[in-house]
Each structure stands twice: as structure tokens, then as C-alpha cells.
Amino acid sequence: MNPIYEKLEKCFESYKAKIDFVPKVALVLGSGLGDYAESIRVEATLDYHDIEGFPVSTVPGHAGKFIFGYVGDVPVVCMQGRVHYYEGYAMSDVVLPARLMKMMGAEILFLTNAAGGVKQGMHAGDLMMLTGQIGCLVPSPLIGPNVDELGVRFPDMSQIYDLDLQRIVRRAALDLGIDIKEGTYMQFTGPQYETPQEISMARTLGADAVGMSTACEAIAARHMGMRVLGISCITNLASGISPNPLSHKEVQEIADAVAPKFKALVTEIIKAAGAE
Ligand code: HPA
């Protein structure tokens, strides 16, 4: 058997032995959304450490557990803490959680992150819905023997972010009076923030926001036929646009300040997406 699938199956069995829950929406919590669990009617939690073979984050503050429960009537699985490529994991491990949540039953992958704003008119504290992505600066999570159990060798990526879900996001933002931006997300490996020259390149190539996650998870999810939705919290203007040096502390502070608005939006979206 494909070793990647074998590892995934082991994780799934480990999960199955402990949790009896079928989620519809899988939500990955980026910076600032860490305490979104407060918005969920929690049924169960599962520490990543308790899943055999599951990659566990090394970043301080990235607590690692799955939270199972309901947002309104919608069954969700939430990832509190994700692993990043810059931590040194193989790309197949970075996307293992997304694949596992599909195996749990999730049909929709809702990705959130913190990102640097590149587009003109973007401000720290804005939210940006992802309409497209540039993921080719990082290795594809699909490199290696294809996992036929998950999807085809050469999957189409012409519309990674689901158009119906995008409509739901626009409607939810409108209802909540949130002015949501839209644009293309570009994934860098990190962990260093970009240079101003790299940001010039990103802008020239069509990026509206930059970050260190998400695009690889979206590719893995589309490979499996999941519907994907992504929202970035713009925590800072990207390198060279901002007059100040970038810091993780600033990113976290802005993410925390935006969290109430972001959480309200996420809840509205999940309720609407789950009712479809
Ligand atoms: N660059 C990359 N990742 C980020 C940024 C940034 O400016 N802000 C938050 N995450």
C-alpha cells in the first residue's frame, strides 16, 4: 500500500477508536481564531498527541487538538493548531490533517490564516476571502506516488475555492456589515518574513496577500474533491509596504483584535454552508 495512505489509515483508526462523530465542515483555525471553540457546542476533543503518527506542531501557542461539535446545527471538526512546512515536516505530513478530516466525513474545508497584505488599499485588520492562490513556491503536497484512494494523478485546479461558498461568504459579510476584501493568496515557505523584493515579485505575479500556509492544504483538499473556502486575516501590510519591521508579536496582536469580527463571520458562514 502507498505509505502515505497507510499512515493516514493508521491515524484514522486511532481516531475512530476514540471518537464517534461525522463532521460536515472541517475548519482550520489560523492565528487569532484559536479560541473559536467558545463558539462551538463542543461534543468531544482529541489531542493530536493521542493520534498515532499524527504530526504535532512545534510553534509556541499552536495548541494541538481536534474539536468536534456543532455550530448551529452543523457538525464541524475544528483544528486548533496546524503544522507548517517551515517546521520541517514533509508536505505529506503538513496536509495529513486535511486528508484525515475528509476521511472523518467532512465535505467542506474551511481554511483560515494570518497573512500580509500586498494589494493596494489593504489595511491591517482587514479580512480577505481567497478567490485564487499561487502555491507553486512551495512543493506540491501531491508529489510522490499518487494516493489513488484519495484522488487522481493530475487533478484539475482551475477553481480551487468553491464559487458557491464564496457567494455565502459575501452574503454573510454583508449581513454582518463586514467589508470583506477578495483576492489571490500566495504561499511562501517561511519561516522568515519576505523581503521587500519578494513582495514586489509577489505583487507582479498577482498576489494580493502572502502567508506561510493554506495553499498546500487547499491543493490536497481539491485532490480529494472537497469544496474549499479560505479567509485570511490581514494582520500587517507586507514587507516593504509597512514602514515597520514585521514581528510575530504584531501579527498575533492584530489577529487577536480582529478575532471577534472574524469569529462572527465564520459562524454565519458555517451555518449557511451547512444548511445547503
Ligand atoms: N508574510 C507571511 N506570513 C504572514 C505575514 C506576512 O507578512 N503576516 C502574517 N503571516
Side-chain angles (χ1 to χ4, degrees):
M1 200 198 286
N2 184 311
I4 288 172
Y5 194 64
E6 214 167 304
K7 186 169 184 176
L8 199 53
E9 283 222 301
K10 203 167 260 170
C11 287
F12 184 64
E13 278 161 26
S14 189
Y15 146 81
K16 255 315 208 204
K18 296 178 177 97
I19 305 284
D20 179 23
F21 189 87
V22 180
K24 177 164 184 181
V25 176
L27 174 65
V28 180
L29 302 175
S31 303
L33 283 183
D35 62 358
Y36 185 72
E38 288 166 8
S39 311
I40 300 175
R41 192 147 47 80
V42 177
E43 293 275 310
T45 63
L46 180 61
D47 211 282
Y48 296 156
H49 290 286
D50 295 331
I51 306 172
E52 212 187 318
F54 194 88
V56 177
S57 179
T58 59
V59 180
H62 281 241
K65 60 172 179 272
F66 283 119
I67 298 160
F68 303 90
Y70 293 88
V71 174
D73 295 331
V74 185
V76 298
V77 54
C78 232
M79 281 188 73
Q80 197 176 65
R82 56 145 73 94
V83 294
H84 298 83
Y85 184 57
Y86 60 72
E87 291 175 70
Y89 294 98
M91 254 313 173
S92 58
D93 274 341
V94 176
V95 303
L96 182 147
R99 288 172 162 165
L100 185 59
M101 293 191 289
K102 168 72 161 55
M103 287 174 88
M104 292 174 186
E107 298 155 20
I108 293 171
L109 181 64
F110 189 168
L111 296 163
T112 67
N113 61 40
V118 174
K119 187 159 66 181
Q120 278 275 339
M122 203 98 87
H123 302 284
D126 282 346
L127 296 174
M128 186 187 93
M129 176 176 78
L130 277 54
T131 53
Q133 71 178 36
I134 300 171
C136 57
L137 288 189
V138 300
S140 167
L142 309 183
I143 287 174
N146 186 51
V147 186
D148 297 327
E149 290 87 347
L150 301 179
V152 298
R153 172 75 290 189
F154 300 108
D156 174 62
M157 293 285 150
S158 51
Q159 190 64 61
I160 294 188
Y161 295 97
D162 187 272
L163 290 173
D164 289 330
L165 294 175
Q166 289 183 38
R167 277 189 271 278
I168 286 175
V169 173
R170 286 188 199 104
R171 161 59 54 191
L174 198 65
D175 288 350
L176 292 171
I178 295 170
D179 173 26
I180 192 162
K181 305 281 195 294
E182 301 186 11
T184 297
Y185 176 92
M186 187 169 194
Q187 180 175 0
F188 283 79
T189 64
Q192 76 283 6
Y193 290 115
E194 301 73 26
T195 63
Q197 295 73 30
E198 285 159 349
I199 293 303
S200 293
M201 175 193 77
R203 186 188 295 105
T204 303
L205 295 179
D208 298 308
V210 294
M212 305 174 195
S213 65
T214 301
C216 54
E217 293 149 297
I219 291 169
R222 280 307 298 147
H223 179 233
M224 298 181 289
M226 291 180 92
R227 298 169 66 205
V228 185
L229 168 62
I231 300 182
S232 292
C233 172
I234 304 299
T235 51
N236 56 282
L237 296 182
S239 169
I241 304 174
S242 161
N244 309 316
L246 305 188
S247 79
H248 185 54
K249 185 166 171 284
E250 178 200 351
V251 165
Q252 279 181 321
E253 280 169 5
I254 297 290
D256 289 343
V258 176
K261 167 171 92 167
F262 203 173
K263 284 191 247 183
L265 183 63
V266 167
T267 294
E268 278 300 301
I269 293 166
I270 292 177
K271 283 182 183 168
E276 266 192 329

